[in-house]
Amino acid sequence: MMDIGVGLIGYGLAGRAFHAPYVGATPGMTLRAVVSRDPAKVHADLPGMTVAPDVPTLLAMPDVDLVIVASPDELHAEHALAALAAGRHVLIDKPFATSLADARRIAAEGEARDRIVTVFHNRRWDADFRTLQKLIADGTLGEIVEYESRFDRWRPTPADSWKEARGSGPWQDLGPHLIDQALMLFGRPLAVSTDLATFRAGGPAPDYVSAVLRYPDKRVVLHASKLVADYGLRFAVHGTRGSWIKHGTDVQEAKTVAGQAPAGEDWGHDPVEGRLTCPDDGAGARALANEPGDYRLFWLALAAAIRDEGPNPVPASAGIAVLEILEAGLRSAAERREIML
């Protein structure tokens, strides 16, 4: 098996919880180096790991085949383009880029150099989302007419971090996940209408977003707020045959943040069951166990794609599709009107 050397740019939450542990858990992948200004932080988790002081130093290493871009958002395009110019495959954490123009530049560069460009839309492998995909695919809910997807938090005091200062707040932070899941299920909408607001005193950027994606036969509501004390609701989906309501958040992030390595058959097991109500089946409302979630599947698919043994799990085109909605949503919020797509 070809050994895939990996270089990681950035060791914040994304690098520490979503990337380094999964590289270590993927057969045939080896983390070679991490770009960080805080070697002690890296070595606390990864003793003996090579810590590069900057991106050029990382890209000069001959044994790095894949570069993971987990740097602050505004650096994604710069770092991805540099890695591609150096002949490396690239995995970019969400958001793919901070502008649609940059996203298209990255995709074009990857195609020109015959390198894989993939986007870390890991929420495709959440337990709850995989459960919903199955319910829709097997017709349990009938034709979907209403879909609500939420990532709410209770963070009443803004943190002193660059993430809190993102210009479009949760639309840029959590919006890519919400949008990507909606596009996976329903495809491109006709239009988007978005409301952004800042409700926390002294907040440096919006902390609330509510967006409606308009389809001919359904409405999709995407929502994220940092002032929701009862933040358990994740999905509320209604179709012509039934409804599915899901509370709780996929467990995989919490596990890696707590220091657990991705391992075992029950790694992505979500114990919080959804509630399925199908009036015509006579069973009434009932608990429904979740399909297993597993971010490791993304990494296995990426390794196979690099070896030319399978497709790119999240191609650059998916990232571009998300950026189209993100930018249209920002325009909608600024102009206070629905934007056609």
Side-chain angles (χ1 to χ4, degrees):
M1 180 183 294
M2 166 192 171
D3 184 67
I4 300 169
V6 180
L8 171 60
I9 302 174
Y11 202 70
L13 174 63
R16 180 172 63 87
F18 287 110
H19 299 302
Y22 286 95
V23 171
T26 304
M29 273 192 178
T30 302
L31 186 60
R32 305 286 189 195
V34 177
V35 176
S36 174
R37 293 176 295 180
D38 190 351
K41 181 180 179 181
V42 177
H43 290 148
D45 298 329
L46 305 168
M49 177 58 60
T50 298
V51 178
D54 51 40
V55 173
T57 300
L58 175 72
L59 297 180
M61 297 178 181
D63 56 352
V64 171
D65 307 292
L66 168 68
V67 171
I68 301 172
V69 178
S71 47
D73 300 353
E74 66 271 14
L75 296 174
H76 282 192
E78 175 186 334
H79 290 163
L81 290 168
L84 289 167
R88 286 6 187 245
H89 303 288
V90 174
L91 161 60
I92 306 173
D93 205 280
K94 59 82 189 167
F96 184 27
T98 55
S99 74
L100 182 56
D102 278 345
R104 288 172 172 161
R105 286 175 58 208
I106 295 168
E109 187 72 9
E111 184 174 355
R113 295 183 179 274
D114 195 25
R115 298 290 88 183
I116 288 173
V117 175
T118 191
V119 192
F120 194 59
H121 286 312
N122 59 304
R123 295 290 180 177
R124 295 182 179 192
W125 289 269
D126 278 1
D128 48 24
F129 183 66
R130 299 187 80 200
T131 303
L132 178 56
Q133 283 182 301
K134 184 176 185 299
L135 288 171
I136 292 175
D138 65 20
T140 298
L141 301 177
E143 297 298 321
I144 304 303
V145 295
E146 295 183 38
Y147 169 96
E148 181 179 1
S149 177
R150 304 177 69 106
F151 272 128
D152 294 324
R153 301 286 188 269
W154 176 243
R155 295 175 182 168
T157 302
D160 183 17
S161 71
W162 65 267
K163 290 186 177 182
E164 288 279 9
R166 283 176 164 127
S168 55
W171 187 234
Q172 184 175 335
D173 179 18
L174 298 170
H177 287 315
L178 297 170
I179 295 167
D180 181 66
Q181 289 182 334
L183 295 181
M184 283 280 290
L185 294 174
F186 308 121
R188 181 184 175 89
L190 298 174
V192 59
S193 178
T194 303
D195 182 26
L196 288 168
T198 304
F199 293 136
R200 296 179 299 177
D207 48 43
Y208 166 96
V209 63
S210 185
V212 178
L213 307 185
R214 179 163 63 86
Y215 292 82
D217 57 350
K218 67 179 64 67
R219 296 295 182 266
V220 167
V221 177
L222 310 178
H223 187 278
S225 173
K226 296 184 179 180
L227 272 179
V228 180
D230 184 354
Y231 56 84
L233 180 61
R234 178 66 185 90
F235 286 106
V237 184
H238 308 288
T240 56
R241 295 183 60 188
S243 297
W244 178 73
I245 310 297
K246 177 67 174 69
H247 289 76
T249 305
D250 187 272
V251 300
Q252 295 174 83
E253 175 181 352
K255 286 184 174 183
T256 49
V257 168
Q260 297 184 48
E265 294 183 0
D266 65 344
W267 168 251
H269 170 67
D270 182 350
V272 181
E273 297 180 333
R275 186 176 77 249
L276 178 65
T277 303
C278 295
D280 292 341
D281 67 7
R286 60 189 185 276
L288 180 71
N290 297 296
E291 295 293 308
D294 198 343
Y295 298 162
R296 293 173 296 184
L297 297 175
F298 167 84
W299 293 93
L300 290 170
L302 175 57
I306 290 173
R307 298 188 186 104
D308 200 23
E309 296 172 356
N312 185 339
V314 185
S317 58
I320 290 172
V322 168
L323 259 294
E324 289 175 342
I325 305 296
L326 281 174
E327 288 206 352
L330 290 177
R331 183 181 169 194
S332 169
E335 300 178 8
R336 294 296 177 188
R337 67 183 181 90
E338 184 182 64
I339 301 298
M340 299 299 295
L341 296 167

